[in-house]
Amino acid sequence: MKDFIYNGQPARVVFGRGALASLEREIDLLQASRALVLSTPEQQDQARRIADLLGSRAAGIFARAVMHVPIETARQARDEARRLGADCAVAIGGGSTIGLGKAIALDSGLPILAIPTTYAGSEMTPIFGITEAGLKKTGKDPRVLPRTVIYDPDLTLTLPQALSITSGMNAIAHAAEGLYARDGNPIMELMAEEGIRALARALPAIRRDAGDLEARSDAQYGAWLCGTVLGNVGMALHHKLCHTLGGTFNLPHAEVHTIILPHAIAFNAAAAPDAMRRIERALDAAGRASAAAALFDLARDNGAPVALKDIGGIAEADLDRAADLVVSAPYWNPREIDAAQRGDIHRLLSNAYHGIRPD
Ligand SMILES: NC(=O)C1=CN([C@@H]2O[C@H](COP(=O)(O)OP(=O)(O)OC[C@H]3O[C@@H](n4cnc5c(N)ncnc54)[C@H](OP(=O)(O)O)[C@@H]3O)[C@@H](O)[C@H]2O)C=CC1
Ligand SMILES: O=C(O)/C=C\C(=O)CC(=O)O
């Protein structure tokens, strides 16, 4: 057993069908009594339902969350929280809405109760992201870690099948990179492998039937585990590639993760054999396909995009700039990234652009 440091991050998790019914109790446990409910404009019916459930504990609704937390939106939400005298924020939705809650908490220290409806995993991390003048800055602060998370699979039934698959692949990416993290530890490895296994079981079932509650529950369980890994250990080349492509070319978050993951894993395979073995085991691919190929198959066989050229927003000529950005400020990676790797990074991006199955 290698030496390691494990930093437990406190979050209370209420998990299961109908868990939303515990909302009032959970707000009381936070010793809060004026909740500002957050959502995207499209999910405001959900936000209203939350406010109805909270009754007099609801201070108001702010239904203006958008992708990547623009600083202007974060400021408006903070002002609204102050104006209403809110003493906690309830974020219902995906990473965008939970990210808005984090932006409020970063400034005010208000506790967040998160009710995730995608599998992105932000609810389990102390990582925040805020976009200013077109540039997304991320950081870590324990104040933004939601204090309570309610996972209720009933609330995910409306998440479209295509988005469910790509969001699930986004979660798997956290776990896959957690398996070769520089600051990894055996507890995170257990969580990562189990998280990948749960999602690999859930995604084909959701693809067959979006209303399969057992599969929805498995997917949330997997997302919780994978999000916990993201919150506890450092991410590497795959996340760097996705943040570059998402940030510079404004490509859709979950789709980019889905397309890049097999290629980033193939790039790192020789440098992280134990991680590959665990991914293959979790995907039930051992002896049949490499970790990279099995991830590609999981996405492709469930109808997810596997080629950057198919999602638009980036031309093949842009890959030069993307490769330059990745090698100029790399994240730590098990296979070292420096200027000498630029050609290989470009090749990785080109394979992802054309949707070539890694072997
Ligand atoms: N800080 C962290 O640790 C992390 C941050 N993130 C950040 O979060 C964002 C990505 O998160 P993600 O969850 O993919 O993105 P969003 O929160 O933007 O949600 C993605 C899509 O899911 C839809 N959706 C969500 N819930 C429902 C529902 N109940 N029914 C129907 N549709 C629904 C949204 O629709 P609509 O817009 O119509 O509401 C939206 O189109 C990125 O900005 C990423 O950087 C991601 C992971 C971790
Ligand atoms: O960009 C952020 O908001 C922070 C982390 C992530 O998005 C993680 C991810 O790439 O899924």
Side-chain angles (χ1 to χ4, degrees):
M1 170 80 50
K2 64 180 181 182
D3 297 347
F4 63 90
I5 294 175
Y6 171 73
N7 248 323
Q9 309 212 42
R12 178 177 162 87
V13 171
V14 184
F15 189 99
R17 285 198 68 185
L20 186 62
S22 66
L23 180 61
E24 271 181 280
R25 179 193 72 204
E26 295 304 321
I27 293 291
D28 289 346
L29 285 171
L30 288 174
Q31 298 184 326
S33 57
R34 290 187 64 73
L36 177 63
V37 182
L38 309 173
S39 75
T40 60
E42 294 80 7
Q43 308 302 325
Q44 40 185 314
D45 286 350
Q46 294 264 38
R48 258 185 235 114
R49 183 173 165 214
I50 298 294
D52 289 346
L53 271 174
L54 287 172
S56 63
R57 293 176 182 80
I61 295 174
F62 185 91
R64 278 182 265 164
V66 287
M67 185 81 102
H68 299 312
V69 195
I71 185 84
E72 300 77 15
T73 313
R75 286 192 185 122
Q76 289 163 12
R78 287 168 188 165
D79 290 348
E80 187 67 349
R82 211 172 298 122
R83 190 182 69 77
L84 293 168
D87 58 6
C88 77
V90 175
I92 177 148
S96 300
T97 307
I98 295 168
L100 179 62
K102 289 176 166 186
I104 298 175
L106 185 64
D107 188 51
S108 63
L110 282 194
I112 308 170
L113 185 152
I115 309 174
T117 59
T118 70
Y119 308 127
S122 177
E123 66 280 359
M124 296 311 296
T125 84
I127 306 167
F128 61 88
I130 297 180
T131 304
E132 188 166 11
L135 205 68
K136 184 163 177 176
K137 290 188 190 138
T138 56
K140 270 192 178 182
D141 193 307
R143 281 180 306 177
V144 310
L145 180 73
R147 299 268 192 90
T148 308
V149 181
I150 296 180
Y151 286 105
D152 186 336
D154 288 342
L155 301 174
T156 62
L157 292 175
T158 52
L159 187 65
Q161 270 154 315
L163 197 59
S164 301
I165 306 301
T166 54
S167 190
M169 294 300 296
N170 182 191
I172 288 176
H174 308 326
E177 290 227 293
L179 284 169
Y180 51 58
R182 180 170 43 168
D183 53 355
N185 65 64
I187 313 304
M188 288 305 128
E189 285 167 8
L190 285 173
M191 287 190 163
E193 189 174 334
E194 175 66 357
I196 297 173
R197 185 173 293 114
L199 280 155
R201 188 169 62 225
L203 299 187
I206 292 173
R207 163 98 163 135
R208 281 191 296 275
D209 175 9
D212 181 336
L213 270 162
E214 191 62 30
R216 290 289 186 183
S217 182
D218 273 348
Q220 278 204 312
Y221 169 63
W224 167 23
L225 295 172
C226 295
T228 303
V229 174
L230 172 68
N232 278 273
V233 299
M235 296 291 113
L237 173 67
H238 167 75
H239 281 71
K240 175 68 192 183
L241 286 161
C242 293
H243 294 169
T244 303
L245 293 169
T248 308
F249 302 99
N250 201 23
L251 302 187
H253 183 85
E255 283 89 336
V256 169
H257 270 277
T258 304
I259 294 166
I260 294 295
L261 184 62
H263 303 283
I265 293 299
F267 184 94
N268 282 334
D274 189 52
M276 299 303 130
R277 194 177 51 77
R278 283 176 175 273
I279 296 169
E280 286 158 15
R281 197 164 61 193
L283 295 175
D284 199 17
R288 188 172 51 78
S290 67
L295 288 165
F296 183 94
D297 296 346
L298 181 64
R300 182 200 56 197
D301 295 351
N302 289 295
V306 290
L308 289 174
K309 67 178 166 56
D310 293 340
I311 61 170
I314 186 164
E316 196 165 8
D318 293 326
L319 302 183
D320 275 322
R321 177 145 176 251
D324 287 342
L325 290 169
V326 169
V327 297
S328 65
Y331 295 176
W332 177 89
N333 191 60
R335 176 175 162 192
E336 202 181 335
I337 310 285
D338 57 24
Q341 303 287 320
R342 190 199 176 275
D344 286 351
I345 296 290
H346 192 278
R347 200 161 310 116
L348 181 168
L349 286 166
S350 178
N351 288 341
Y353 188 83
H354 292 287
I356 295 167
R357 181 179 187 264
D359 232 326

